Amino acid sequence: MVKAVPSRAPNFSKLDDATLDLVRQAVKRRHNAAQQTLDLSDFSHDPELTAQHVFFPLNRYAMLSNVVDIVRKTFPEVIAVDLSKNRLHALEGLSSLRKAAPALKGLNLSNNEIRGMSEFDKVRGLAIQELLLAGNPVSSSIKDHSTLVSEIRKRFPKLIKLDGHELPAPIGFDLETPSTLPKTKASFFVNDDVKKMVLQFLEEYFMVYDSGDRQALLNAYHDSAIFSMSAVQRRDARGPFMSEYTSRSRNISFVRDLDRRVKLLKRGRVSVVSELTELPKTQHDPASFYVDITHYSPQLLNFTVTGVFKEVGKNFTFFCQIGLADGVYV
């Protein structure tokens, strides 16, 4: 009876200096100084190495990592490396390539035996712009080309060419170094005159709104005023909290019925103020207000105000109000 057991790869973790010197010379011969490229394709069949009876397969971790170390020490300025036809199935030996060759822009891994996309996680972050991957099982296993491109770009965000084909420009940010964003501003006003006018209007408006008698707001609205509201309650919220607002919400993402959309749109100042008087009594916090002027002209002013308010006897709630002013009316 004969029992066949898969054999493990020989342990090449320790290489003698003589062998490493021969490998170092072979790598140097394959370096094109003028173009800053390195051809390591089919390295185990290098004529000079085989003549010296040296078998140096790069699909072994120790072999590949030693070659990467040679690159780091000898020509870190290389911009393109060809590792095709090396029967590579794992890329762990290339994990230090990003530091060894920081200027690397092109990598040829075609005609190898890379099967899983997870192998590229071991070289994630390489700033390569071109990658050759054809001839690997991983390419044929992903039938949808757009999915392949998406998965590869997750690992190599700067990639612009895959297997010789130009890729569409990626959507994202290209920040080489940490950047400091501008400081946020509490509010935006076009000028001091507009600021004074809008803040005075808001002070008077919410003073009346919170007074308990909102009929006086008739003077703030134009005869052709249009009003609607949108209210959202947290999914995990319990009880009737905000029910007075959500029942009147015209959020078109949820209100599908066209007749109801029309009904919830209030037209004319009498209709608008009548709707406001039916809402619960409130208390707004002017100190929480942020105001942004989104459009200003002598004839028309558009602004948004955000802040917090609370119904009398209840907790504070966030709000955002949009106003469109024509003269002294909203």
Side-chain angles (χ1 to χ4, degrees), residues 57-296:
L58 296 187
N59 61 350
R60 302 287 190 264
Y61 168 77
M63 308 299 199
L64 188 54
S65 60
N66 270 285
V67 168
V68 171
D69 193 53
I70 292 172
V71 172
R72 179 182 64 83
K73 294 177 179 178
T74 313
F75 24 78
E77 69 283 352
V78 66
I79 62 173
V81 175
D82 184 351
L83 283 164
S84 63
K85 303 177 184 178
N86 278 298
R87 302 184 67 183
L88 299 177
H89 53 83
L91 299 180
E92 188 175 1
L94 294 175
S95 59
S96 60
L97 184 59
R98 182 165 63 92
K99 292 183 179 179
L104 190 68
K105 301 298 181 186
L107 183 61
N108 185 351
L109 294 174
S110 64
N111 298 305
N112 280 295
E113 299 178 5
I114 304 169
R115 297 183 177 278
M117 191 60 64
S118 60
E119 286 301 319
F120 296 102
D121 291 332
K122 300 169 184 177
V123 289
R124 181 190 289 267
L126 281 175
I128 56 174
Q129 298 178 1
E130 182 173 0
L131 175 65
L132 295 176
L133 202 57
N136 283 278
V138 68
S139 295
S140 56
S141 65
I142 301 179
K143 304 300 181 183
D144 182 39
H145 182 69
S146 61
T147 301
L148 175 64
V149 171
S150 176
E151 290 298 317
I152 288 294
R153 263 190 167 158
K154 288 178 183 178
R155 282 81 176 177
F156 311 114
K158 294 183 180 295
L159 199 70
I160 59 176
K161 185 180 289 188
L162 178 63
D163 290 328
H165 299 289
E166 297 283 346
L167 300 179
I171 300 174
F173 299 97
D174 187 13
L175 299 178
E176 294 290 346
T177 57
S179 299
T180 302
L181 296 177
K183 293 183 178 180
T184 58
K185 294 184 178 181
S187 298
F188 173 75
F189 299 96
V190 177
N191 54 51
D192 289 339
D193 290 338
V194 173
K195 178 180 180 179
K196 181 179 179 180
M197 177 179 64
V198 172
L199 291 182
Q200 182 180 351
F201 169 79
L202 291 176
E203 180 183 0
E204 296 177 2
Y205 180 91
F206 284 107
M207 182 176 62
V208 175
Y209 189 93
D210 292 339
S211 68
D213 181 12
R214 296 172 182 163
Q215 289 295 326
L217 291 176
L218 282 168
N219 295 326
Y221 287 93
H222 193 274
D223 289 333
S224 301
I226 298 176
F227 170 84
S228 68
M229 74 167 63
S230 176
V232 179
Q233 186 170 347
R234 289 203 333 254
R235 293 182 181 274
D236 59 347
R238 298 180 180 179
F241 179 66
M242 287 188 66
S243 60
E244 293 288 346
Y245 298 93
T246 55
S247 62
R248 293 175 167 83
S249 176
R250 194 175 176 269
N251 189 329
I252 59 177
S253 295
F254 303 103
V255 181
R256 305 293 185 180
D257 185 75
L258 294 180
D259 290 336
R260 180 163 175 76
R261 288 184 183 179
V262 173
K263 182 179 179 180
L264 291 171
L265 187 65
K266 306 304 177 181
R267 299 175 182 272
R269 63 177 180 171
V270 174
S271 178
V272 171
V273 175
S274 176
E275 180 76 355
L276 294 178
T277 57
E278 295 183 16
L279 295 175
K281 292 183 178 181
T282 57
Q283 179 184 352
H284 287 75
D285 179 13
S288 72
F289 289 1
Y290 292 94
V291 183
D292 290 302
I293 307 299
T294 55
H295 173 79
Y296 171 74

Side-chain angles (χ1 to χ4, degrees), residues 22-33:
L22 290 173
V23 171
R24 196 175 295 110
Q25 293 178 34
V27 172
K28 288 182 178 180
R29 285 194 301 270
R30 289 166 169 256
H31 177 238
N32 186 321

